[in-house]
Amino acid sequence: MIREANLLTSSAMRWRQSRESQNVQDYRGRATGGGGGMRLGLGGIVLAVIAYFVGGPQLVMSLFSGAGSAPTSEAPVQPGAPADEAGQFVSHVLGDTEETWNAIFSQAGREYPPPYLALFDEGINTGCGSASSAAGPFYCPNDRKLYIDLTFFRQLETEFAAQGDFAKAYVIAHEVGHHVQNLLGTLEQARAAQGRASGDANAIQVRVELQADCYAGIWAHYADSQRQLVEAGDIDEALNAAASVGDDTIQKRVQGQVNQESFTHGSAAQRQQWFRKGYSSGSVDDCNTFQ
Ligand SMILES: [Zn+2]
């Protein structure tokens, strides 16, 4: 009960002043796949391709179920903007990422096809395989969709101790960052590099993830400087969230020790550093984590 109260009072970000996206696909309350069977098989392979928000053994293990079967997406639902408070928040933040990336792409003489964002409960079939909620938020490059079960936002506050609307907005902006990487061909290149014998799959994954954090920072830069959505304390909320989902933070909490070779998303310090870099510069060129 106390937790619910906190959810309502911790908002600072002026998200209602942003434009709503009409690209949210709401699967909540529908019968969807993916959550039931816990047969693990594809996991390791699919993981390298999928861009998700947090690593950590407990999440990696439960990421994808349904071994061997070809990925089938859910039947499409009409995209729009949900009417409930949580759904509204998501569609506003997604809308503001569209503002940001539309402008950046058009400056480069390119078009920005925005991603869909699927809200779901428990489990869902995606173009990348079936996923359970335990996977946390992720982006599937095959169907160009972001997937979020909103219970993760509560988990962010309780398990990861990351409070505030801006922490949640950072999660969405990070996944949108993966969509941008997909459009720019970065995910494809990373996947190819991971497939080569010399490629260190985890190290490459870390660079992909840190770049998505930097891109989330770019969104924050424009949300702040162009649309004044950011209030005092918001950037700290994002930086705190970035630290709380650092691989070292999670590993320390879950297994009591840190094993750097198994990092997939980068340390707390790295995730903060790259978000901050994107936020202060607002430039894609400053987000080259592969150098
Ligand atoms: Zn990610």
Side-chain angles (χ1 to χ4, degrees):
M1 279 307 154
I2 291 162
R3 189 196 301 158
E4 299 298 331
N6 284 345
L7 271 177
L8 294 173
T9 53
S10 62
S11 68
M13 179 191 177
R14 300 193 193 100
W15 57 268
R16 286 191 186 280
Q17 295 176 17
S18 63
R19 184 183 61 76
E20 263 185 305
S21 170
Q22 296 298 321
N23 293 320
V24 176
Q25 291 180 325
D26 199 349
Y27 290 95
R28 291 173 297 173
R30 284 170 184 254
T32 48
M38 287 305 292
R39 292 168 297 144
L40 292 170
L42 278 176
I45 302 160
V46 180
L47 252 182
V49 182
I50 292 292
Y52 56 115
F53 184 70
V54 278
Q58 83 285 28
L59 291 165
V60 171
M61 283 307 289
S62 56
L63 191 53
F64 286 94
S65 55
S69 54
T72 46
S73 300
E74 296 292 339
V77 294
Q78 186 65 33
D84 63 301
E85 169 96 5
Q88 285 265 301
F89 173 77
V90 167
S91 65
H92 274 278
V93 172
L94 184 65
D96 205 67
T97 66
E98 290 167 3
E99 295 281 327
T100 298
W101 290 107
N102 259 327
I104 292 172
F105 272 65
S106 88
Q107 268 165 22
R110 291 184 60 163
E111 218 168 296
Y112 175 68
Y116 285 115
L117 188 157
L119 293 175
F120 69 101
D121 301 310
E122 291 171 22
I124 192 160
N125 294 313
T126 83
C128 295
S130 60
S132 81
S133 292
F138 65 95
Y139 173 73
C140 170
N142 298 346
D143 57 16
R144 294 185 165 190
K145 259 194 233 188
L146 281 62
Y147 289 89
I148 298 181
D149 177 334
L150 292 176
T151 55
F152 179 78
F153 285 159
R154 199 172 312 154
Q155 200 186 353
L156 199 62
E157 303 209 334
T158 54
E159 193 179 322
F160 296 98
Q163 314 294 326
D165 283 346
F166 209 78
K168 302 178 183 74
Y170 153 60
V171 174
I172 297 168
H174 171 100
E175 296 307 330
V176 170
H178 288 313
H179 176 64
V180 171
Q181 292 176 315
N182 195 22
L183 297 177
L184 298 180
T186 315
L187 289 186
E188 188 59 47
Q189 287 163 14
R191 183 166 28 190
Q194 283 178 321
R196 287 193 282 273
S198 58
D200 179 342
N202 281 351
I204 292 163
Q205 184 75 25
V206 167
R207 289 164 186 267
V208 168
E209 295 300 333
L210 292 175
Q211 188 174 59
D213 283 335
C214 191
Y215 287 174
I218 289 181
W219 163 74
H221 174 93
Y222 286 101
D224 189 359
S225 64
Q226 309 244 301
R227 295 179 291 279
Q228 290 81 45
L229 303 180
V230 179
E231 291 198 328
D234 281 350
I235 299 302
D236 286 340
E237 282 178 2
L239 289 171
N240 177 48
S244 71
V245 294
D247 284 326
D248 50 347
T249 313
I250 292 174
Q251 287 185 357
K252 241 177 265 170
R253 185 163 52 80
V254 174
Q255 59 200 31
Q257 57 190 19
V258 175
N259 172 20
Q260 208 158 342
E261 281 94 75
S262 67
F263 279 11
T264 55
H265 282 65
S267 68
Q270 287 175 314
R271 296 198 72 165
Q272 286 192 323
Q273 179 206 328
W274 284 101
F275 177 87
R276 205 181 267 127
K277 197 161 189 189
Y279 173 64
S280 56
S281 95
S283 163
V284 171
D285 292 341
D286 287 326
C287 292
N288 189 355
T289 54
F290 293 89
Q291 252 168 1

